[in-house]
């Protein structure tokens, strides 16, 4: 998807322009707020950035921005046990509301791509394991 600069808004003292990357970040943050979203599904470049210690807030988000409208695609990983249609619907509503409230753009569509379902990891505390009884 292409990302074009949004229309300049002129005020008495200058211009206001919102970069498409800002819209990607807003969409990404609005997506991970939803219960059941385990994470975003990004491409190869996003994985490399995370390995290098950089947190990419727009990972898994593509935007197409016009002068007054935006279309958003988000790619997510959902936790096992959540109803996928409900999670996707909540993502659509939250992304649309967040972008429209923060930017003034009209969001014409939010496409949710579910790439994976994962089990929630249960962390084990090593102190609870009694190794003395393991081998005699």
């Amino acid at each position: 998807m292409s990302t074009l600069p949004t229309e300049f808004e002129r005020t008495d003292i200058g211009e206001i322009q919102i970069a498409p990357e800002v819209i990607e970040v807003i969409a990404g943050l609005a997506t991970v707020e939803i219960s059941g979203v385990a994470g975003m599904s990004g491409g190869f470049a996003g994985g490399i950035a995370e390995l290098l210690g950089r947190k990419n807030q727009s990972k898994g988000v593509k935007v197409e921005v016009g002068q007054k409208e935006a279309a958003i695609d988000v790619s997510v990983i959902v936790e096992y046990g959540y109803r996928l249609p409900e999670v996707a619907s909540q993502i659509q509503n939250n992304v649309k509301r967040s972008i429209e409230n923060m930017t003034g753009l009209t969001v014409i569509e939010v496409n949710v791509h579910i790439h994976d379902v994962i089990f929630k990891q249960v962390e084990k505390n090593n102190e609870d394991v009694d190794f003395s009884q393991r081998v005699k």
Side-chain angles (χ1 to χ4, degrees), residues 1-3 23-24 27 61-66 68-74 95 99 105-111:
M1 304 212 130
S2 64
T3 54
I23 297 166
E24 290 175 351
V61 180
K62 303 259 189 287
V63 299
E64 186 174 342
V65 183
K68 298 184 189 294
E69 298 176 331
I72 316 298
D73 283 273
V74 294
V95 168
I99 291 173
L105 292 169
T106 301
V107 176
I108 57 170
E109 63 183 39
V110 178
N111 301 307

Side-chain angles (χ1 to χ4, degrees), residues 18 26 93-107:
I18 302 168
I26 293 168
N93 292 330
N94 202 37
V95 168
K96 178 178 172 62
R97 181 177 47 252
S98 296
I99 291 173
E100 287 182 348
N101 286 342
M102 293 183 75
T103 67
L105 292 169
T106 301
V107 176

Side-chain angles (χ1 to χ4, degrees), residues 74-130:
V74 294
S75 299
V76 297
I77 300 168
V78 178
E79 291 178 15
Y80 178 80
Y82 285 85
R83 293 200 70 239
L84 302 180
E86 287 178 11
V87 172
S89 178
Q90 290 174 7
I91 291 170
Q92 288 175 320
N93 292 330
N94 202 37
V95 168
K96 178 178 172 62
R97 181 177 47 252
S98 296
I99 291 173
E100 287 182 348
N101 286 342
M102 293 183 75
T103 67
L105 292 169
T106 301
V107 176
I108 57 170
E109 63 183 39
V110 178
N111 301 307
V112 178
H113 307 277
I114 300 172
H115 284 249
D116 202 357
V117 175
I118 65 166
F119 290 97
K120 197 170 191 176
Q121 300 274 333
V122 177
E123 293 185 24
K124 294 182 180 179
N125 188 352
N126 288 339
E127 296 171 3
D128 295 340
V129 179
D130 186 8

Side-chain angles (χ1 to χ4, degrees), residues 9 15-16 18 20 29 31 33 36 45 78 82 104 109:
E9 183 175 320
E15 299 174 340
I16 300 171
I18 302 168
L29 292 172
T31 299
E33 288 178 347
V78 178
Y82 285 85
E109 63 183 39

Side-chain angles (χ1 to χ4, degrees), residues 25-38:
V25 170
I26 293 168
L29 292 172
T31 299
V32 297
E33 288 178 347
I34 302 301
S35 294
V37 174

